[in-house]
Amino acid sequence: PLFKRSLKIYQISLGPNHPNVAKILNNLALLCKDQGNLTGAEQLFKKSLEIYEISLGPSHPSVATSLNNLAIFYKTQMKFSEAEPLYKRSLQIRESSLGPNHPDVAESLFNLALLYQSLERFGEAELLFKRSIQLYKHNFGANHPHTRMARTNLNLCQQKIRLFSTQNK
């Protein structure tokens, strides 16, 4: 109820295409997802993305975050073919708008690597995990939880590569 009330206030006071409206829609989408309302969540994620693109332009970092959130949603729904282009576009926007060494670029690399790992595209996943580790290490240090999580996933990915290579011999 509070999110919906906030949404109405923002829409009236700021207009329906204001970035703050998009932010509330994104938060509502996360809430719907957590409550199991997947159709509502998807619609809200898409509307949030649309508003960010209209109000901030298609290359803004907030658009990249919104794309990333929608891609995560699709990945959890096993809609991998819908998630991949969103992850790629998010990565491209983040690299060009924030620079190649920004922590958000590491997040995009990591998320795309997780998708490739789910698709058993382990070679591609391995490269992206390695890049994300480098960036996490550069930005946060070797023992930061993000760095360690990326390293753990890289190790799992490399185990799968070794397993598949021995099975194919």
Side-chain angles (χ1 to χ4, degrees):
L2 290 178
F3 274 134
K4 288 182 180 182
R5 198 166 131 208
S6 297
L7 177 62
K8 283 190 190 297
I9 292 169
Y10 276 97
Q11 287 173 324
I12 292 167
S13 62
L14 301 173
N17 292 322
H18 193 276
N20 288 349
V21 171
K23 186 174 187 173
I24 290 176
L25 288 170
N26 181 73
N27 292 339
L28 269 170
L30 293 169
L31 181 63
C32 284
K33 182 183 71 111
D34 290 345
Q35 293 176 340
N37 178 0
L38 303 180
T39 303
E42 182 179 16
Q43 290 170 352
L44 291 167
F45 277 128
K46 286 180 173 181
K47 185 64 179 171
S48 173
L49 173 60
E50 179 187 326
I51 292 171
Y52 276 131
E53 288 178 320
I54 290 168
S55 62
L56 301 175
S59 300
H60 192 275
S62 293
V63 170
T65 299
S66 192
L67 288 164
N68 187 65
N69 290 343
L70 183 56
I72 290 169
F73 173 78
Y74 283 141
K75 182 181 176 286
T76 61
Q77 301 306 306
M78 310 286 276
K79 295 179 179 180
F80 301 132
S81 62
E82 293 178 51
E84 184 178 10
L86 301 176
Y87 279 133
K88 285 181 171 182
R89 184 168 164 224
S90 175
L91 174 61
Q92 182 271 321
I93 292 170
R94 285 175 168 175
E95 284 179 324
S96 62
S97 65
L98 302 172
N101 297 318
H102 195 277
D104 288 353
V105 172
E107 177 189 41
S108 287
L109 291 165
F110 179 77
N111 288 339
L112 186 56
L114 288 174
L115 175 71
Y116 287 159
Q117 193 170 33
S118 296
L119 293 169
E120 297 184 353
R121 291 164 58 179
F122 298 116
E124 292 168 274
E126 180 183 32
L127 294 174
L128 295 175
F129 280 134
K130 286 180 178 179
R131 281 184 60 203
S132 71
I133 290 167
Q134 288 175 341
L135 292 180
Y136 282 139
K137 217 166 143 179
H138 170 77
N139 286 288
F140 303 128
N143 292 317
H144 189 275
H146 291 331
T147 310
R148 291 196 327 249
M149 186 185 326
R151 201 176 307 117
T152 298
N153 278 280
L154 173 62
N155 291 337
L156 291 170
C157 183
Q158 290 172 331
Q159 287 174 8
K160 296 278 188 177
I161 290 171
R162 286 191 295 277
L163 178 67
F164 278 105
S165 69
T166 56
Q167 287 179 348
N168 292 331
K169 286 186 178 182

